[in-house]
Amino acid sequence: MDSRELALKLARLIEEKKGEELVIIDVRGRASYTDFILICSARSARHVQGLAEFIESEAAREGIHPLSVEGLTQGHWVVMDYEDAVVHIFYEPVRKVYDLEGLWSEAPRLEIEEGKA
């Protein structure tokens, strides 16, 4: 599976569990640590945790495992490193503070058709 396919698979899982305001940023050639950054919001700390746990367990069914998962205990910002794709799940107020989309404003976005990541 190439990095784009991985990013789209993770995006489908985010959509399935009702992650909100999903953005996929293509950082190939711009970042040394990954090819795609996925950013989404959740309605509460519990939703952040549930979304991360769902992504990890469903991806594992297909043999896809993260290198690391950080922030699960607090549930305000979870980072899941799948090497070629890094998932950031934010409790909405925290997302606005860090503004990762702004940091990568010049990087192209991978377009997602509604409901068809």
Side-chain angles (χ1 to χ4, degrees), residues 4 7 11 19 26-27 31 34 40 58 60 62 114:
R4 184 178 185 280
D26 183 344
V27 294
T34 195
C40 71
E58 290 300 308
E62 297 186 38
E114 191 64 32

Side-chain angles (χ1 to χ4, degrees), residues 38-99:
L38 290 81
I39 304 169
C40 71
S41 298
R43 297 177 304 276
S44 66
R46 184 65 200 128
H47 187 207
V48 170
Q49 293 165 328
L51 186 52
E53 290 166 354
F54 176 79
I55 292 167
E56 187 170 11
S57 68
E58 290 300 308
R61 289 178 189 220
E62 297 186 38
I64 303 167
H65 302 280
L67 298 175
S68 66
V69 176
E70 300 292 333
L72 195 56
T73 304
Q74 291 79 23
H76 291 160
W77 179 7
V78 172
V79 179
M80 307 177 79
D81 183 355
Y82 284 92
E83 192 170 357
D84 292 333
V86 175
V87 177
H88 295 269
I89 307 168
F90 285 100
Y91 177 45
E92 181 56 38
V94 176
R95 181 177 180 171
K96 291 176 184 175
V97 170
Y98 288 96
D99 187 27

Side-chain angles (χ1 to χ4, degrees), residues 5-48:
E5 290 172 319
L6 173 61
L8 291 173
K9 170 163 283 309
L10 295 170
R12 280 191 291 278
L13 294 174
I14 290 167
E15 287 186 338
E16 187 175 335
K17 198 65 171 174
K18 308 293 186 222
E20 300 173 353
E21 300 178 47
L22 174 60
V23 175
I24 304 174
I25 303 172
D26 183 344
V27 294
R28 291 178 289 188
R30 296 171 187 262
S32 61
Y33 62 92
T34 195
D35 288 344
F36 292 94
I37 298 171
L38 290 81
I39 304 169
C40 71
S41 298
R43 297 177 304 276
S44 66
R46 184 65 200 128
H47 187 207
V48 170

